[in-house]
Amino acid sequence: QVQLVESGGGLVQPGGSLRLSCAASGSTLDSYGIGWFRQAPGKEREGVSCISSSGGNTYYADSVKGRFTISRDNAKNTVYLQMNSLKPEDTAVYYCATVPRAYGAVCFRPWTYAYWGQGTQVTVSS
């Protein structure tokens, strides 16, 4: 069983940056695709980005394309989400999760993901 722990969230001003980390234990991540999701109060969980097991394929929601970058370091069993040019509408709890294969539309379907972290809060406010 995979345990995921997100970190790196916090309070940042609009236009600022944060880097989220998703660290795994209990299993190696290199056989899993990884997705980042977010959920704001009163809203449904939204897919943000995902990355294939090798890191060769990445996908982004239109709302974050050009501002967020997903990457992974399988040697460190960690996946990252670099978030730049943050906006107040990016405020949410961010979660990482595992999926057998990360590709296309599957990337943004939370019901296809098996293991989830507990989330980290990101607040963008002046």
mmCIF file of all heavy atoms in Angstrom, residues 5-10 18 20-22 35-40 45-49 63-64 67-68 81 83 86-97 116-124:
data_model
loop_
_atom_site.group_PDB
_atom_site.id
_atom_site.type_symbol
_atom_site.label_atom_id
_atom_site.label_comp_id
_atom_site.label_asym_id
_atom_site.label_seq_id
_atom_site.Cartn_x
_atom_site.Cartn_y
_atom_site.Cartn_z
ATOM 1 N N VAL A 5 2.264 11.834 1.157
ATOM 2 C CA VAL A 5 2.241 13.003 2.028
ATOM 3 C C VAL A 5 2.589 14.232 1.205
ATOM 4 O O VAL A 5 3.685 14.301 0.625
ATOM 5 C CB VAL A 5 3.229 12.857 3.201
ATOM 6 C CG1 VAL A 5 3.219 14.128 4.047
ATOM 7 C CG2 VAL A 5 2.877 11.639 4.047
ATOM 8 N N GLU A 6 1.659 15.176 1.159
ATOM 9 C CA GLU A 6 1.904 16.437 0.467
ATOM 10 C C GLU A 6 2.500 17.457 1.433
ATOM 11 O O GLU A 6 2.206 17.445 2.632
ATOM 12 C CB GLU A 6 0.605 17.021 -0.102
ATOM 13 C CG GLU A 6 -0.149 16.129 -1.057
ATOM 14 C CD GLU A 6 -1.202 15.287 -0.378
ATOM 15 O OE1 GLU A 6 -1.089 15.066 0.858
ATOM 16 O OE2 GLU A 6 -2.148 14.845 -1.054
ATOM 17 N N SER A 7 3.317 18.339 0.906
ATOM 18 C CA SER A 7 3.886 19.427 1.692
ATOM 19 C C SER A 7 4.175 20.602 0.777
ATOM 20 O O SER A 7 4.134 20.464 -0.456
ATOM 21 C CB SER A 7 5.160 18.974 2.414
ATOM 22 O OG SER A 7 6.143 18.593 1.477
ATOM 23 N N GLY A 8 4.474 21.743 1.369
ATOM 24 C CA GLY A 8 4.854 22.910 0.589
ATOM 25 C C GLY A 8 3.775 23.967 0.447
ATOM 26 O O GLY A 8 4.020 25.021 -0.141
ATOM 27 N N GLY A 9 2.599 23.685 0.955
ATOM 28 C CA GLY A 9 1.540 24.676 0.865
ATOM 29 C C GLY A 9 1.784 25.840 1.812
ATOM 30 O O GLY A 9 2.716 25.820 2.623
ATOM 31 N N GLY A 10 0.945 26.854 1.689
ATOM 32 C CA GLY A 10 1.086 28.010 2.562
ATOM 33 C C GLY A 10 0.325 29.195 2.031
ATOM 34 O O GLY A 10 -0.488 29.073 1.111
ATOM 35 N N LEU A 18 4.869 28.811 -5.315
ATOM 36 C CA LEU A 18 5.034 27.761 -4.324
ATOM 37 C C LEU A 18 5.425 26.482 -5.045
ATOM 38 O O LEU A 18 5.053 26.285 -6.215
ATOM 39 C CB LEU A 18 3.731 27.503 -3.549
ATOM 40 C CG LEU A 18 3.298 28.508 -2.491
ATOM 41 C CD1 LEU A 18 1.897 28.138 -1.995
ATOM 42 C CD2 LEU A 18 4.270 28.550 -1.329
ATOM 43 N N LEU A 20 4.924 22.485 -4.405
ATOM 44 C CA LEU A 20 4.364 21.395 -3.618
ATOM 45 C C LEU A 20 5.150 20.117 -3.872
ATOM 46 O O LEU A 20 5.623 19.875 -4.981
ATOM 47 C CB LEU A 20 2.899 21.168 -3.977
ATOM 48 C CG LEU A 20 1.967 22.378 -3.869
ATOM 49 C CD1 LEU A 20 0.530 21.944 -4.172
ATOM 50 C CD2 LEU A 20 2.068 23.040 -2.527
ATOM 51 N N SER A 21 5.259 19.314 -2.820
ATOM 52 C CA SER A 21 5.898 18.007 -2.931
ATOM 53 C C SER A 21 4.917 16.921 -2.530
ATOM 54 O O SER A 21 4.075 17.132 -1.649
ATOM 55 C CB SER A 21 7.135 17.926 -2.030
ATOM 56 O OG SER A 21 8.102 18.871 -2.399
ATOM 57 N N CYS A 22 5.045 15.785 -3.155
ATOM 58 C CA CYS A 22 4.234 14.606 -2.845
ATOM 59 C C CYS A 22 5.227 13.468 -2.633
ATOM 60 O O CYS A 22 5.799 12.956 -3.590
ATOM 61 C CB CYS A 22 3.289 14.311 -3.986
ATOM 62 S SG CYS A 22 2.380 12.747 -3.834
ATOM 63 N N GLY A 35 -1.205 12.211 -10.067
ATOM 64 C CA GLY A 35 -2.003 13.387 -10.377
ATOM 65 C C GLY A 35 -2.064 14.339 -9.206
ATOM 66 O O GLY A 35 -1.957 13.919 -8.049
ATOM 67 N N TRP A 36 -2.201 15.597 -9.535
ATOM 68 C CA TRP A 36 -2.498 16.626 -8.535
ATOM 69 C C TRP A 36 -3.931 17.112 -8.747
ATOM 70 O O TRP A 36 -4.316 17.421 -9.875
ATOM 71 C CB TRP A 36 -1.536 17.802 -8.661
ATOM 72 C CG TRP A 36 -0.172 17.565 -8.107
ATOM 73 C CD1 TRP A 36 0.953 17.201 -8.806
ATOM 74 C CD2 TRP A 36 0.236 17.698 -6.745
ATOM 75 N NE1 TRP A 36 2.016 17.085 -7.948
ATOM 76 C CE2 TRP A 36 1.609 17.386 -6.679
ATOM 77 C CE3 TRP A 36 -0.426 18.040 -5.562
ATOM 78 C CZ2 TRP A 36 2.335 17.414 -5.484
ATOM 79 C CZ3 TRP A 36 0.288 18.066 -4.373
ATOM 80 C CH2 TRP A 36 1.651 17.768 -4.343
ATOM 81 N N PHE A 37 -4.654 17.182 -7.659
ATOM 82 C CA PHE A 37 -6.011 17.691 -7.665
ATOM 83 C C PHE A 37 -6.121 18.816 -6.645
ATOM 84 O O PHE A 37 -5.272 18.936 -5.762
ATOM 85 C CB PHE A 37 -7.010 16.577 -7.304
ATOM 86 C CG PHE A 37 -7.167 15.542 -8.370
ATOM 87 C CD1 PHE A 37 -6.215 14.542 -8.533
ATOM 88 C CD2 PHE A 37 -8.244 15.571 -9.231
ATOM 89 C CE1 PHE A 37 -6.346 13.584 -9.541
ATOM 90 C CE2 PHE A 37 -8.391 14.617 -10.230
ATOM 91 C CZ PHE A 37 -7.443 13.633 -10.381
ATOM 92 N N ARG A 38 -7.172 19.594 -6.756
ATOM 93 C CA ARG A 38 -7.409 20.615 -5.745
ATOM 94 C C ARG A 38 -8.913 20.725 -5.479
ATOM 95 O O ARG A 38 -9.727 20.402 -6.343
ATOM 96 C CB ARG A 38 -6.842 21.966 -6.173
ATOM 97 C CG ARG A 38 -7.502 22.578 -7.388
ATOM 98 C CD ARG A 38 -6.732 23.826 -7.827
ATOM 99 N NE ARG A 38 -7.343 24.483 -8.983
ATOM 100 C CZ ARG A 38 -6.793 25.516 -9.622
ATOM 101 N NH1 ARG A 38 -5.621 26.005 -9.207
ATOM 102 N NH2 ARG A 38 -7.420 26.063 -10.645
ATOM 103 N N GLN A 39 -9.214 21.172 -4.290
ATOM 104 C CA GLN A 39 -10.611 21.349 -3.917
ATOM 105 C C GLN A 39 -10.756 22.600 -3.069
ATOM 106 O O GLN A 39 -10.154 22.706 -2.004
ATOM 107 C CB GLN A 39 -11.131 20.124 -3.154
ATOM 108 C CG GLN A 39 -12.620 20.147 -2.941
ATOM 109 C CD GLN A 39 -13.176 18.799 -2.527
ATOM 110 O OE1 GLN A 39 -12.449 17.931 -2.057
ATOM 111 N NE2 GLN A 39 -14.472 18.610 -2.709
ATOM 112 N N ALA A 40 -11.534 23.523 -3.586
ATOM 113 C CA ALA A 40 -11.846 24.747 -2.864
ATOM 114 C C ALA A 40 -13.144 24.548 -2.088
ATOM 115 O O ALA A 40 -13.958 23.689 -2.449
ATOM 116 C CB ALA A 40 -11.975 25.906 -3.839
ATOM 117 N N ARG A 45 -13.847 18.467 -6.411
ATOM 118 C CA ARG A 45 -12.415 18.242 -6.612
ATOM 119 C C ARG A 45 -12.092 18.381 -8.099
ATOM 120 O O ARG A 45 -12.773 17.815 -8.951
ATOM 121 C CB ARG A 45 -12.027 16.867 -6.091
ATOM 122 C CG ARG A 45 -10.544 16.647 -5.989
ATOM 123 C CD ARG A 45 -10.220 15.462 -5.106
ATOM 124 N NE ARG A 45 -10.607 15.709 -3.717
ATOM 125 C CZ ARG A 45 -10.226 14.922 -2.706
ATOM 126 N NH1 ARG A 45 -9.477 13.865 -2.933
ATOM 127 N NH2 ARG A 45 -10.622 15.203 -1.480
ATOM 128 N N GLU A 46 -11.042 19.110 -8.378
ATOM 129 C CA GLU A 46 -10.675 19.458 -9.760
ATOM 130 C C GLU A 46 -9.291 18.936 -10.083
ATOM 131 O O GLU A 46 -8.347 19.129 -9.301
ATOM 132 C CB GLU A 46 -10.697 20.995 -9.897
ATOM 133 C CG GLU A 46 -10.144 21.523 -11.192
ATOM 134 C CD GLU A 46 -9.919 23.028 -11.170
ATOM 135 O OE1 GLU A 46 -9.787 23.599 -10.076
ATOM 136 O OE2 GLU A 46 -9.860 23.625 -12.256
ATOM 137 N N GLY A 47 -9.161 18.286 -11.232
ATOM 138 C CA GLY A 47 -7.852 17.838 -11.671
ATOM 139 C C GLY A 47 -7.004 19.005 -12.122
ATOM 140 O O GLY A 47 -7.478 19.863 -12.869
ATOM 141 N N VAL A 48 -5.768 19.042 -11.685
ATOM 142 C CA VAL A 48 -4.845 20.136 -12.013
ATOM 143 C C VAL A 48 -3.797 19.694 -13.022
ATOM 144 O O VAL A 48 -3.566 20.358 -14.028
ATOM 145 C CB VAL A 48 -4.157 20.643 -10.726
ATOM 146 C CG1 VAL A 48 -3.088 21.681 -11.061
ATOM 147 C CG2 VAL A 48 -5.179 21.211 -9.756
ATOM 148 N N SER A 49 -3.163 18.563 -12.726
ATOM 149 C CA SER A 49 -2.080 18.102 -13.587
ATOM 150 C C SER A 49 -1.804 16.642 -13.283
ATOM 151 O O SER A 49 -2.141 16.145 -12.209
ATOM 152 C CB SER A 49 -0.820 18.926 -13.314
ATOM 153 O OG SER A 49 0.259 18.505 -14.113
ATOM 154 N N SER A 63 -6.769 25.836 -16.842
ATOM 155 C CA SER A 63 -6.696 26.922 -15.863
ATOM 156 C C SER A 63 -5.290 27.138 -15.304
ATOM 157 O O SER A 63 -5.009 28.200 -14.735
ATOM 158 C CB SER A 63 -7.669 26.657 -14.709
ATOM 159 O OG SER A 63 -7.375 25.419 -14.082
ATOM 160 N N VAL A 64 -4.416 26.146 -15.446
ATOM 161 C CA VAL A 64 -3.061 26.268 -14.883
ATOM 162 C C VAL A 64 -1.974 26.154 -15.932
ATOM 163 O O VAL A 64 -0.781 26.329 -15.618
ATOM 164 C CB VAL A 64 -2.817 25.224 -13.784
ATOM 165 C CG1 VAL A 64 -3.906 25.289 -12.721
ATOM 166 C CG2 VAL A 64 -2.706 23.823 -14.362
ATOM 167 N N ARG A 67 1.490 28.087 -16.175
ATOM 168 C CA ARG A 67 1.842 28.612 -14.856
ATOM 169 C C ARG A 67 2.361 27.514 -13.931
ATOM 170 O O ARG A 67 3.219 27.781 -13.081
ATOM 171 C CB ARG A 67 0.623 29.278 -14.206
ATOM 172 C CG ARG A 67 0.053 30.441 -14.980
ATOM 173 C CD ARG A 67 -1.026 31.169 -14.190
ATOM 174 N NE ARG A 67 -2.170 30.318 -13.890
ATOM 175 C CZ ARG A 67 -2.605 30.067 -12.660
ATOM 176 N NH1 ARG A 67 -1.990 30.584 -11.611
ATOM 177 N NH2 ARG A 67 -3.678 29.298 -12.472
ATOM 178 N N PHE A 68 1.831 26.305 -14.061
ATOM 179 C CA PHE A 68 2.226 25.188 -13.203
ATOM 180 C C PHE A 68 3.071 24.202 -13.996
ATOM 181 O O PHE A 68 2.861 24.004 -15.186
ATOM 182 C CB PHE A 68 0.990 24.450 -12.676
ATOM 183 C CG PHE A 68 0.152 25.208 -11.677
ATOM 184 C CD1 PHE A 68 0.347 26.558 -11.425
ATOM 185 C CD2 PHE A 68 -0.842 24.549 -10.974
ATOM 186 C CE1 PHE A 68 -0.427 27.244 -10.506
ATOM 187 C CE2 PHE A 68 -1.635 25.213 -10.043
ATOM 188 C CZ PHE A 68 -1.423 26.570 -9.819
ATOM 189 N N LEU A 81 4.969 19.853 -7.785
ATOM 190 C CA LEU A 81 4.133 20.752 -8.565
ATOM 191 C C LEU A 81 4.637 22.169 -8.311
ATOM 192 O O LEU A 81 4.450 22.718 -7.224
ATOM 193 C CB LEU A 81 2.660 20.628 -8.174
ATOM 194 C CG LEU A 81 1.694 21.454 -9.032
ATOM 195 C CD1 LEU A 81 1.640 20.880 -10.460
ATOM 196 C CD2 LEU A 81 0.292 21.473 -8.433
ATOM 197 N N MET A 83 4.297 25.928 -8.840
ATOM 198 C CA MET A 83 3.179 26.818 -9.136
ATOM 199 C C MET A 83 3.680 28.252 -9.167
ATOM 200 O O MET A 83 4.145 28.771 -8.140
ATOM 201 C CB MET A 83 2.074 26.651 -8.091
ATOM 202 C CG MET A 83 1.620 25.210 -7.911
ATOM 203 S SD MET A 83 0.185 25.037 -6.834
ATOM 204 C CE MET A 83 0.857 25.658 -5.301
ATOM 205 N N LEU A 86 0.710 32.754 -9.173
ATOM 206 C CA LEU A 86 -0.487 32.281 -8.485
ATOM 207 C C LEU A 86 -1.560 33.353 -8.421
ATOM 208 O O LEU A 86 -1.264 34.565 -8.315
ATOM 209 C CB LEU A 86 -0.120 31.803 -7.077
ATOM 210 C CG LEU A 86 0.541 30.416 -7.053
ATOM 211 C CD1 LEU A 86 1.270 30.187 -5.747
ATOM 212 C CD2 LEU A 86 -0.493 29.330 -7.278
ATOM 213 N N LYS A 87 -2.798 32.889 -8.493
ATOM 214 C CA LYS A 87 -3.966 33.763 -8.479
ATOM 215 C C LYS A 87 -4.856 33.409 -7.283
ATOM 216 O O LYS A 87 -4.814 32.272 -6.805
ATOM 217 C CB LYS A 87 -4.765 33.568 -9.764
ATOM 218 C CG LYS A 87 -3.978 33.781 -11.036
ATOM 219 C CD LYS A 87 -4.821 33.446 -12.258
ATOM 220 C CE LYS A 87 -4.050 33.628 -13.549
ATOM 221 N NZ LYS A 87 -4.877 33.305 -14.743
ATOM 222 N N PRO A 88 -5.680 34.328 -6.830
ATOM 223 C CA PRO A 88 -6.582 33.998 -5.727
ATOM 224 C C PRO A 88 -7.452 32.772 -6.015
ATOM 225 O O PRO A 88 -7.758 32.001 -5.098
ATOM 226 C CB PRO A 88 -7.424 35.270 -5.582
ATOM 227 C CG PRO A 88 -6.519 36.360 -6.041
ATOM 228 C CD PRO A 88 -5.732 35.767 -7.172
ATOM 229 N N GLU A 89 -7.814 32.573 -7.264
ATOM 230 C CA GLU A 89 -8.649 31.418 -7.616
ATOM 231 C C GLU A 89 -7.901 30.092 -7.544
ATOM 232 O O GLU A 89 -8.510 29.032 -7.701
ATOM 233 C CB GLU A 89 -9.280 31.589 -9.002
ATOM 234 C CG GLU A 89 -8.319 31.939 -10.094
ATOM 235 C CD GLU A 89 -8.259 33.442 -10.362
ATOM 236 O OE1 GLU A 89 -8.237 34.233 -9.383
ATOM 237 O OE2 GLU A 89 -8.219 33.823 -11.549
ATOM 238 N N ASP A 90 -6.599 30.126 -7.301
ATOM 239 C CA ASP A 90 -5.838 28.894 -7.078
ATOM 240 C C ASP A 90 -5.935 28.421 -5.633
ATOM 241 O O ASP A 90 -5.449 27.343 -5.295
ATOM 242 C CB ASP A 90 -4.358 29.102 -7.425
ATOM 243 C CG ASP A 90 -4.129 29.372 -8.901
ATOM 244 O OD1 ASP A 90 -4.769 28.705 -9.740
ATOM 245 O OD2 ASP A 90 -3.307 30.257 -9.211
ATOM 246 N N THR A 91 -6.557 29.215 -4.793
ATOM 247 C CA THR A 91 -6.705 28.850 -3.390
ATOM 248 C C THR A 91 -7.536 27.583 -3.246
ATOM 249 O O THR A 91 -8.657 27.504 -3.759
ATOM 250 C CB THR A 91 -7.377 30.002 -2.604
ATOM 251 O OG1 THR A 91 -6.514 31.133 -2.622
ATOM 252 C CG2 THR A 91 -7.660 29.590 -1.170
ATOM 253 N N ALA A 92 -6.973 26.598 -2.575
ATOM 254 C CA ALA A 92 -7.637 25.301 -2.414
ATOM 255 C C ALA A 92 -6.743 24.393 -1.576
ATOM 256 O O ALA A 92 -5.582 24.719 -1.310
ATOM 257 C CB ALA A 92 -7.879 24.647 -3.775
ATOM 258 N N VAL A 93 -7.289 23.247 -1.212
ATOM 259 C CA VAL A 93 -6.470 22.168 -0.677
ATOM 260 C C VAL A 93 -6.003 21.341 -1.866
ATOM 261 O O VAL A 93 -6.821 20.947 -2.708
ATOM 262 C CB VAL A 93 -7.252 21.298 0.317
ATOM 263 C CG1 VAL A 93 -6.384 20.134 0.807
ATOM 264 C CG2 VAL A 93 -7.746 22.135 1.484
ATOM 265 N N TYR A 94 -4.715 21.093 -1.929
ATOM 266 C CA TYR A 94 -4.117 20.352 -3.033
ATOM 267 C C TYR A 94 -3.774 18.943 -2.579
ATOM 268 O O TYR A 94 -3.166 18.758 -1.518
ATOM 269 C CB TYR A 94 -2.868 21.066 -3.542
ATOM 270 C CG TYR A 94 -3.191 22.276 -4.391
ATOM 271 C CD1 TYR A 94 -3.725 23.425 -3.819
ATOM 272 C CD2 TYR A 94 -2.977 22.267 -5.771
ATOM 273 C CE1 TYR A 94 -4.054 24.531 -4.598
ATOM 274 C CE2 TYR A 94 -3.295 23.375 -6.562
ATOM 275 C CZ TYR A 94 -3.835 24.494 -5.952
ATOM 276 O OH TYR A 94 -4.154 25.591 -6.739
ATOM 277 N N TYR A 95 -4.151 17.983 -3.411
ATOM 278 C CA TYR A 95 -3.935 16.575 -3.129
ATOM 279 C C TYR A 95 -3.147 15.924 -4.254
ATOM 280 O O TYR A 95 -3.335 16.262 -5.415
ATOM 281 C CB TYR A 95 -5.269 15.827 -3.026
ATOM 282 C CG TYR A 95 -6.227 16.338 -1.997
ATOM 283 C CD1 TYR A 95 -7.140 17.340 -2.299
ATOM 284 C CD2 TYR A 95 -6.251 15.794 -0.709
ATOM 285 C CE1 TYR A 95 -8.039 17.802 -1.352
ATOM 286 C CE2 TYR A 95 -7.158 16.239 0.244
ATOM 287 C CZ TYR A 95 -8.040 17.250 -0.090
ATOM 288 O OH TYR A 95 -8.935 17.693 0.850
ATOM 289 N N CYS A 96 -2.315 14.961 -3.895
ATOM 290 C CA CYS A 96 -1.715 14.099 -4.911
ATOM 291 C C CYS A 96 -2.305 12.697 -4.765
ATOM 292 O O CYS A 96 -2.793 12.320 -3.688
ATOM 293 C CB CYS A 96 -0.194 14.081 -4.818
ATOM 294 S SG CYS A 96 0.482 13.398 -3.289
ATOM 295 N N ALA A 97 -2.248 11.962 -5.851
ATOM 296 C CA ALA A 97 -2.852 10.632 -5.863
ATOM 297 C C ALA A 97 -2.193 9.781 -6.937
ATOM 298 O O ALA A 97 -1.597 10.300 -7.889
ATOM 299 C CB ALA A 97 -4.355 10.731 -6.117
ATOM 300 N N TRP A 116 -4.508 8.337 -2.064
ATOM 301 C CA TRP A 116 -4.534 9.785 -1.944
ATOM 302 C C TRP A 116 -3.776 10.234 -0.702
ATOM 303 O O TRP A 116 -3.764 9.538 0.317
ATOM 304 C CB TRP A 116 -5.984 10.278 -1.813
ATOM 305 C CG TRP A 116 -6.790 10.105 -3.051
ATOM 306 C CD1 TRP A 116 -7.377 8.955 -3.500
ATOM 307 C CD2 TRP A 116 -7.108 11.120 -4.008
ATOM 308 N NE1 TRP A 116 -8.046 9.191 -4.679
ATOM 309 C CE2 TRP A 116 -7.891 10.516 -5.013
ATOM 310 C CE3 TRP A 116 -6.814 12.477 -4.111
ATOM 311 C CZ2 TRP A 116 -8.373 11.233 -6.119
ATOM 312 C CZ3 TRP A 116 -7.298 13.187 -5.192
ATOM 313 C CH2 TRP A 116 -8.067 12.567 -6.177
ATOM 314 N N GLY A 117 -3.167 11.414 -0.804
ATOM 315 C CA GLY A 117 -2.587 12.041 0.372
ATOM 316 C C GLY A 117 -3.638 12.804 1.152
ATOM 317 O O GLY A 117 -4.815 12.847 0.762
ATOM 318 N N GLN A 118 -3.213 13.435 2.235
ATOM 319 C CA GLN A 118 -4.148 14.132 3.114
ATOM 320 C C GLN A 118 -4.381 15.574 2.682
ATOM 321 O O GLN A 118 -5.297 16.232 3.173
ATOM 322 C CB GLN A 118 -3.629 14.116 4.556
ATOM 323 C CG GLN A 118 -2.620 15.194 4.903
ATOM 324 C CD GLN A 118 -1.279 15.028 4.208
ATOM 325 O OE1 GLN A 118 -0.955 13.971 3.681
ATOM 326 N NE2 GLN A 118 -0.486 16.089 4.204
ATOM 327 N N GLY A 119 -3.566 16.064 1.761
ATOM 328 C CA GLY A 119 -3.742 17.401 1.231
ATOM 329 C C GLY A 119 -2.897 18.451 1.938
ATOM 330 O O GLY A 119 -2.485 18.291 3.088
ATOM 331 N N THR A 120 -2.630 19.527 1.208
ATOM 332 C CA THR A 120 -1.917 20.673 1.763
ATOM 333 C C THR A 120 -2.630 21.943 1.301
ATOM 334 O O THR A 120 -3.028 22.060 0.146
ATOM 335 C CB THR A 120 -0.435 20.672 1.337
ATOM 336 O OG1 THR A 120 0.252 21.738 1.990
ATOM 337 C CG2 THR A 120 -0.259 20.813 -0.173
ATOM 338 N N GLN A 121 -2.801 22.880 2.216
ATOM 339 C CA GLN A 121 -3.571 24.088 1.928
ATOM 340 C C GLN A 121 -2.705 25.109 1.195
ATOM 341 O O GLN A 121 -1.591 25.424 1.639
ATOM 342 C CB GLN A 121 -4.095 24.701 3.232
ATOM 343 C CG GLN A 121 -4.824 26.022 3.055
ATOM 344 C CD GLN A 121 -6.175 25.869 2.380
ATOM 345 O OE1 GLN A 121 -6.965 25.009 2.748
ATOM 346 N NE2 GLN A 121 -6.463 26.719 1.391
ATOM 347 N N VAL A 122 -3.247 25.643 0.120
ATOM 348 C CA VAL A 122 -2.635 26.753 -0.599
ATOM 349 C C VAL A 122 -3.613 27.922 -0.563
ATOM 350 O O VAL A 122 -4.760 27.784 -0.977
ATOM 351 C CB VAL A 122 -2.314 26.368 -2.052
ATOM 352 C CG1 VAL A 122 -1.876 27.600 -2.845
ATOM 353 C CG2 VAL A 122 -1.245 25.295 -2.098
ATOM 354 N N THR A 123 -3.134 29.045 -0.052
ATOM 355 C CA THR A 123 -3.965 30.239 0.016
ATOM 356 C C THR A 123 -3.245 31.376 -0.691
ATOM 357 O O THR A 123 -2.098 31.694 -0.349
ATOM 358 C CB THR A 123 -4.256 30.632 1.468
ATOM 359 O OG1 THR A 123 -4.889 29.544 2.142
ATOM 360 C CG2 THR A 123 -5.158 31.857 1.529
ATOM 361 N N VAL A 124 -3.915 31.943 -1.684
ATOM 362 C CA VAL A 124 -3.349 33.055 -2.444
ATOM 363 C C VAL A 124 -4.171 34.298 -2.113
ATOM 364 O O VAL A 124 -5.333 34.408 -2.489
ATOM 365 C CB VAL A 124 -3.371 32.776 -3.953
ATOM 366 C CG1 VAL A 124 -2.663 33.904 -4.699
ATOM 367 C CG2 VAL A 124 -2.728 31.443 -4.262
#
